[in-house]
Amino acid sequence: MQTVNTLGTLREAVESLRATGPVALVPTMGALHQGHLTLVREARARGAQVVASIFVNPRQFGPNEDLDAYPRRMAEDSRLLSEEGVAVLWAPDVAEMYPQGFSTNISVTGVSDNFCGASRPGHFDGVATVVCKLFNQVRPDLALFGEKDWQQLAVIRRMARDLDLSYPHVDAIYGVPTVREADGLAMSSRNQYLSAEERQAAATLPTAMRAALAAIAGGTPVADALASLRASLLAAGFSSIDYADLADAASLEPIAAPGAVPARLLVAARLGSTRLIDNMPLG
Ligand code: PAF
């Protein structure tokens, strides 16, 4: 695996890869877990050479969020990616990604407005801006993202469509199903912030979500199922709930009753200072 830190070397490395077949991009912020490694495996299973990026993107963190505390483990991450057969690791520093005077912002309205967009103002502008840059830098044939960040995936898909990024690159953006711990908790780099007690309580999140989805599928009104979900989380020790809603899976508009469009249950809740998110399909 070749590790590159400057745009010039990245371009050279990717051009040689492209000569041998399709190139896949797996963007990450590091602190890798099985969810990330599954993205790499999926990319390789599609016959692509993988460029993985590790960049803790300051523009997607709010002023009081965990940018400084966000886990950074470059040596360990690099070993894991190399073992998975990644061809190129793109690991720019902040000055390489955002040179002096950088002043462009990509804002995807609509899909960004609710849920994490409302509870983390500016977050999706930061995500869209860096992902657009990563697409332009690597010019991958395909890119893979975890479905755990369902709204992020919707924002990226909308941006790629609106900005015509599919030609000459990013022909396909794949969402890969969430990888879970044995007790159902969605894998996340932030799970390591949890104390032993919080980690135990965290497993209530997927269980309560499944119960809410089963209730809705069984005819319980959405508002009642969501109220029980919120009550279960608070009873289990969650300190607050940013949102717990059923939404149109594509537009991310909240929906009050199941209908013809695919729906997704989306939750963000806090255990102490750790914010956990999860989502599951209805039906
Ligand atoms: O999901 C993430 O890890 C980040 O939001 C991403 C897509 C790498 C952009 O910084």
Side-chain angles (χ1 to χ4, degrees):
M1 183 178 79
Q2 187 183 357
T3 300
V4 294
N5 309 107
T6 65
L7 201 43
T9 25
L10 173 74
R11 289 208 165 119
E12 282 168 19
V14 175
E15 279 327 303
S16 349
L17 273 191
R18 212 183 301 286
T20 68
V23 172
L25 172 65
V26 174
T28 83
M29 297 206 301
L32 304 178
H33 50 67
Q34 285 302 316
H36 299 108
L37 302 182
T38 301
L39 300 180
V40 173
R41 288 174 203 144
E42 283 284 326
R44 296 200 65 207
R46 289 169 195 279
Q49 299 263 35
V50 180
V51 177
S53 63
I54 296 184
F55 179 66
V56 182
N57 175 32
R59 295 174 74 96
Q60 68 187 76
F61 289 79
N64 299 316
E65 293 186 349
D66 57 344
L67 173 61
D68 293 337
Y70 199 84
R72 287 158 172 89
R73 291 197 310 243
M74 190 53 87
E76 167 74 353
D77 288 349
S78 171
R79 183 183 64 75
L80 291 169
L81 292 173
S82 170
E83 283 172 8
E84 291 295 335
V86 166
V88 175
L89 167 56
W90 169 221
D93 65 13
V94 174
E96 187 72 12
M97 185 62 87
Y98 299 119
Q100 189 72 32
F102 185 88
S103 41
T104 298
N105 184 53
I106 296 182
S107 189
V108 184
T109 55
V111 280
S112 287
D113 293 349
N114 296 315
F115 310 118
C116 285
S119 50
R120 303 183 68 191
H123 169 68
F124 286 124
D125 286 13
V127 170
T129 303
V130 82
V131 171
C132 186
K133 281 177 69 72
L134 289 166
F135 284 174
N136 286 327
Q137 291 164 347
V138 177
R139 299 177 53 230
D141 299 288
L142 55 151
L144 297 93
F145 297 86
E147 286 186 350
K148 178 176 160 276
D149 293 291
W150 184 265
Q151 191 176 14
Q152 166 172 284
L153 185 56
V155 169
I156 291 167
R157 285 198 161 123
R158 186 62 56 92
M159 172 193 68
R161 191 204 68 176
D162 289 356
L163 298 182
D164 305 315
L165 297 183
S166 62
Y167 180 83
H169 49 270
V170 211
D171 289 331
I173 294 175
Y174 292 102
V176 176
T178 303
V179 179
R180 296 180 181 277
E181 304 286 357
D183 62 3
L185 179 66
M187 288 194 186
S188 163
S189 305
R190 289 188 168 100
N191 289 351
Q192 63 192 272
Y193 296 154
L194 299 169
S195 67
E197 201 185 334
E198 288 170 342
R199 173 62 189 81
Q200 226 179 334
T204 313
L205 178 56
T207 312
M209 289 176 69
R210 286 204 180 91
L213 287 167
I216 294 168
T220 303
V222 171
D224 294 351
L226 296 177
S228 303
L229 165 59
R230 288 196 185 91
S232 310
L233 294 180
L234 294 173
F238 279 80
S239 37
S240 62
I241 297 161
D242 284 2
Y243 58 79
D245 281 298
L246 195 67
D248 178 317
S251 71
L252 277 297
E253 283 294 327
I255 50 183
V261 294
R264 205 97 193 162
L265 175 61
L266 303 157
V267 180
R270 291 173 198 266
L271 261 173
S273 56
T274 308
R275 183 175 181 277
L276 300 179
I277 59 171
D278 202 348
N279 70 86
M280 292 178 187
L282 174 67

